[in-house]
Amino acid sequence: MTAEPLSARPQALTDLMGDVGLDERGTSLWQGAFQRLRRNPSAIIGALIVLAFVLVAVFAPLIAPYEPAKSQWIDQVTPSTVPGHSAEHLLGLDPLGSDLFTQLVYGARQSLIIGIVSTAFGLAGGVILGTLAGGLGGWVDTLVMRLVDILLSIPSLLLAVSIAAMLGQRPSAIMIAIGAAQVPIFARLLRGSMLAQRNQDYVLASFSLGLRRRTIVMSHVLPNSLGPVIVQATLTLATAIIEVAALSYLGLGAPDPAVAEWGRMLVKAQDRLQSDPHLTLLPGICIAVTALGFTLLGESLREALDPKSRR
Amino acid sequence: MSETVTLEPGGRRGRRATREPVDRHQALLEVKNLNVTFQRRGGRATRAVDGVSFSVKPGEVVGIVGESGSGKSVTSLAVMGLLPSRGVQVSGEALYRGRNLLTMGNQELSSLRGRDLAMVFQDPMSSLNPVIPVGLQVTEVLRRHEDLTRQQARDEAEDLLRRCGIPDPRRRLGEYPHQLSGGMRQRALIAIALACKPALLICDEPTTALDVTIQAQVLELLKELVSELGTAMVMITHDLGVVAGLCDFVNVMYAGRVVESADRRELFAHPRHRYTHGLLNSIPRLDSPRGEALRPIPGTPRDTIAWSKACAFAPRCQFADDDCVVDDLELAPLGAAGHRVRCVHPAPEEDK
């Protein structure tokens, strides 16, 4: 056999060279992308915002000074004024007599849950449909893609509103509604990405090795096609958080009015826009900043995963 | 598949017991009158491969030589059943141990591919999956065709990489294709193709994407492995140097047809077709005087005529005359045994 230099190397040389990284691991596409992300300032800003949001959501009970949504100070609220900042209440009260800061903190939790669950739902549905279409091709492809076209022709918010209205006032309704509206987007994205991969040489090479179609689709084509879909999922989280707010603003949110939720906080405060603008401004800023964080992270992820932008 | 893999006491995998006994004289692969036509909807049909026939005996290395577009790659893809199903018409026969690969069901063909027939592609970068570690791509084939546990497959893969001249194979198994050099990747691809010890290996220009020193190493490796395993090989190339060093028998293709086929020695000693002649003449020689101009074949492969009307090489041939306008020129025996030429004015049998 050719080349077996390693064992033949003199001991003195080996000592000089030190341990030639035998435990060195391969860096995958994702590891490389992570390294590029760390050097991108907007990725770091996005990641910090997302991290802060997640921490607040997870540790809400530790951060918030009071129990959420107990209208225990309702007697301090008059039709014309809401108490502002005080020693007991950092941001004052909301129109229903709850601590505003507590409501905002628990609102993060609600947004995170709905955002993640609905995106996961949309992602799962989209990946299944997209893999069917892109992996099997033929009439399955045609059928799935026409279905996706029909769904895409309906504006996503309208679709979500209709689904939420159809499912009625259930806590899960809003998540299913928002997720379902994302399914066609994910499906079309994945299918396109898989079609591009299917003509690659390594797919032909896999066929030449007699691998089963299922194996080729699942372990070769799919992992190579997921990049854009993951990026889209990060961006969708931002959209989902905005849509949650929109749906609960429209009164299609969680049925329990006591559950703290940024969108509903906007509704409750809108008739006090003139007298107490901070009641709408603060939840609005929360929504915007969180969405911005996910968008920044998603965009940088797309850049990091794009082979063409690599240096 | 009712194949049984025997395990020897030492845990080493026994050689496949049920593989049909090798008859040295019966052809392993026999391609008869292979035609491949590409047609897009509403477009004109293009005949890429036109009545190609050749055969490969067990352990033999057969070369297919030709310029880009002469149909050599399409021939190999057709034999492997890898051409897209839409817009392509394949006719003729490709008999592997008497079974026609072209009419075989997908299941059956897929269980032959990788185990009995394997292929090495031209570009080692794009032929490996970039997001999966190399090791997984080797073990995957082993586990598809042979009944191995994960650990057995891993050991076998490590052994394969070592035999293919990849130093420190254990570490390489965990690495991704972009961490390997071009030559290393091609070695890995060869390891994958030879993983199940196929009876026939088709190499589609395996060295074109590599630099010259690596080319020589990879060819040497192929030569060694093939003779060690007794694998027959079809070597597709445009490089006559590769043919001279490796092949037992050579088919020269031009515009979709075989124009000359002969034993390697015979072909290099007495090239009879004007195209082969021109190819050999165009190779720069070390002993030629300094400053001497290269002698290319004039024109490009696009300057061609349909074989059904005349000799397709005639537009570029300095010996062409009115006699060359013959429909469906025959590939006729000429000179030494087994030497066949498709030419009206073959070169005289001079000694080169």
Side-chain angles (χ1 to χ4, degrees):
Chain A
M1 275 306 77
T2 40
E4 272 200 303
L6 278 184
S7 55
R9 185 182 290 146
Q11 187 57 41
L13 268 181
T14 314
D15 291 346
L16 275 177
M17 291 172 67
D19 187 13
V20 195
L22 281 178
D23 52 357
E24 194 181 294
R25 281 281 153 74
T27 55
S28 72
L29 183 73
W30 290 100
Q31 283 165 316
F34 181 66
Q35 277 156 17
R36 280 187 294 281
L37 271 187
R38 284 200 316 202
R39 289 193 290 266
N40 184 348
S42 65
I44 292 173
I45 295 172
L48 285 178
I49 293 174
V50 169
L51 185 70
F53 171 65
V54 171
L55 286 179
V56 167
V58 171
F59 296 108
L62 298 178
I63 298 167
Y66 303 101
E67 288 283 292
K70 286 245 178 76
S71 307
Q72 45 195 321
W73 301 282
I74 190 78
D75 45 326
Q76 297 178 30
V77 179
T78 67
S80 58
T81 58
V82 172
H85 167 74
S86 66
E88 289 171 320
H89 305 291
L90 186 63
L91 298 173
L93 296 179
D94 77 351
L96 294 180
S98 306
D99 182 61
L100 185 60
F101 182 62
T102 306
Q103 294 292 91
L104 282 178
V105 168
Y106 276 92
R109 177 174 264 198
Q110 194 66 17
S111 294
L112 183 70
I113 293 171
I114 297 178
I116 287 181
V117 172
S118 59
T119 304
F121 180 73
L123 188 65
V127 165
I128 292 170
L129 285 184
T131 308
L132 280 177
L136 293 176
W139 64 268
V140 183
D141 186 22
T142 314
L143 186 76
V144 171
M145 289 332 282
R146 291 301 82 76
L147 188 74
V148 163
D149 283 344
I150 293 171
L151 288 175
L152 277 176
S153 66
I154 308 168
S156 72
L157 193 59
L158 185 62
L159 189 62
V161 167
S162 333
I163 296 173
M166 206 171 70
L167 291 173
Q169 297 263 309
R170 274 189 283 152
S172 56
I174 196 168
M175 303 186 204
I176 295 175
I178 294 171
Q182 297 295 337
V183 167
I185 298 173
F186 283 121
R188 193 159 76 163
L189 196 64
L190 182 63
R191 180 239 183 203
S193 170
M194 285 181 88
L195 285 191
Q197 293 296 327
R198 239 174 31 178
N199 294 326
Q200 297 285 325
D201 279 355
Y202 68 85
V203 176
L204 192 67
S206 309
F207 274 113
S208 87
L209 292 168
L211 296 181
R212 292 194 174 85
R213 192 180 190 84
R214 191 181 53 217
T215 318
I216 296 176
V217 168
M218 297 308 286
S219 76
H220 290 275
V221 181
L222 189 59
N224 273 297
S225 317
L226 276 180
V229 178
I230 301 294
V231 170
Q232 179 65 29
T234 333
L235 296 173
T236 299
L237 267 172
T239 327
I241 287 168
I242 294 173
E243 285 191 357
V244 174
L247 285 191
S248 40
Y249 182 83
L250 293 173
L252 291 162
D256 181 4
V259 173
E261 212 283 278
W262 292 339
R264 201 200 317 274
M265 290 169 77
L266 292 177
V267 187
K268 287 188 289 190
Q270 65 178 346
D271 44 356
R272 294 174 193 264
L273 200 55
Q274 298 252 303
S275 55
D276 297 291
H278 73 280
L279 289 179
T280 41
L281 213 52
L282 289 173
I285 289 173
C286 286
I287 296 171
V289 168
T290 312
L292 177 72
F294 278 109
T295 309
L296 282 178
L297 192 62
E299 288 290 345
S300 338
L301 194 60
R302 165 157 60 205
E303 243 170 67
L305 281 174
D306 184 1
K308 276 174 227 136
S309 68
R310 276 186 217 168
R311 268 162 293 158
Chain B
M1 288 285 104
S2 63
E3 187 178 86
T4 51
V5 172
T6 52
L7 278 175
E8 285 164 20
R12 285 269 313 154
R13 198 160 45 96
R15 285 302 298 267
R16 203 169 285 122
T18 52
R19 181 170 266 170
E20 299 96 294
V22 175
D23 178 356
R24 283 265 148 197
H25 302 288
Q26 196 210 335
L28 187 66
L29 176 73
E30 195 159 12
V31 176
K32 289 182 191 162
N33 196 23
L34 180 73
N35 289 288
V36 181
T37 312
F38 290 95
Q39 181 157 30
R40 295 168 75 183
R41 203 181 296 167
R44 207 160 52 88
T46 314
R47 178 158 284 197
V49 177
D50 191 355
V52 166
S53 305
F54 63 93
S55 71
V56 185
K57 293 197 223 16
E60 191 182 34
V61 180
V62 171
I64 298 181
V65 195
E67 289 167 305
S68 315
S70 59
K72 49 196 196 314
S73 289
V74 176
T75 303
S76 64
L77 290 176
V79 168
M80 292 289 286
L82 291 173
L83 288 170
S85 51
R86 274 192 230 175
V88 185
Q89 285 172 337
V90 181
S91 68
E93 283 184 320
L95 303 174
Y96 172 77
R97 295 188 200 272
R99 294 150 80 192
N100 191 352
L101 297 170
L102 302 183
T103 54
M104 199 177 269
N106 235 336
Q107 283 299 50
E108 205 181 349
L109 188 57
S110 141
S111 69
L112 276 183
R113 286 198 293 235
R115 191 171 61 107
D116 289 67
L117 307 162
M119 196 161 173
V120 175
F121 289 88
Q122 178 174 351
D123 184 355
M125 184 70 242
S126 59
S127 302
L128 286 167
N129 186 342
V131 303
I132 294 182
V134 177
L136 203 63
Q137 305 189 41
V138 186
T139 51
E140 181 176 67
V141 191
L142 286 166
R143 299 194 68 196
R144 160 71 172 92
H145 294 293
E146 306 190 5
D147 197 11
L148 296 179
T149 65
R150 200 174 290 264
Q151 189 53 48
Q152 282 171 325
R154 216 182 149 73
D155 292 344
E156 182 80 19
E158 195 184 324
D159 188 46
L160 268 166
L161 290 194
R162 183 177 300 114
R163 284 154 55 106
C164 288
I166 296 180
D168 200 2
R170 181 171 290 273
R171 178 163 67 103
R172 293 298 181 192
L173 283 179
E175 291 193 336
Y176 292 84
H178 71 268
Q179 292 171 296
L180 272 54
S181 67
M184 205 94 89
R185 277 185 221 130
Q186 192 61 292
R187 284 168 190 272
L189 273 182
I190 291 172
I192 292 172
L194 290 176
C196 298
K197 306 182 176 61
L200 178 69
L201 180 69
I202 299 179
C203 296
D204 188 356
E205 307 202 21
T207 55
T208 313
L210 306 173
D211 73 60
V212 184
T213 38
I214 307 296
Q215 277 187 13
Q217 289 174 13
V218 166
L219 286 175
E220 192 57 35
L221 173 74
L222 271 175
K223 202 170 170 179
E224 271 177 34
L225 290 174
V226 159
S227 70
E228 198 177 303
L229 298 171
T231 299
M233 184 156 74
V234 174
M235 174 61 81
I236 291 166
T237 180
H238 57 245
D239 186 346
L240 283 167
V242 172
V243 172
L246 211 59
C247 301
D248 301 318
F249 196 84
V250 189
N251 297 289
V252 182
M253 279 185 78
Y254 191 82
R257 288 201 184 182
V258 174
V259 292
E260 181 161 15
S261 64
D263 191 64
R264 186 223 330 171
R265 286 173 190 285
E266 170 70 12
L267 187 89
F268 282 95
H270 313 293
R272 304 300 294 276
H273 196 278
R274 295 295 179 181
Y275 174 63
T276 321
H277 210 264
L279 278 183
L280 286 171
N281 266 334
S282 66
I283 300 174
R285 300 177 63 101
L286 271 181
D287 54 4
S288 62
R290 201 173 250 270
E292 195 193 50
L294 294 172
R295 282 167 294 178
I297 300 173
T300 70
R302 300 188 58 140
D303 308 327
T304 186
I305 301 177
W307 280 107
S308 56
K309 298 194 185 103
C311 171
F313 184 61
R316 299 174 66 189
C317 180
Q318 47 188 332
F319 298 93
D321 57 23
D322 288 348
D323 294 345
C324 292
V325 187
V326 189
D327 51 344
D328 290 313
L329 199 56
E330 289 266 325
L331 185 64
L334 187 74
H339 197 156
R340 300 199 297 164
V341 181
R342 194 191 296 274
C343 188
V344 180
H345 302 297
E349 187 170 339
E350 56 179 66
D351 278 317
K352 282 209 65 137

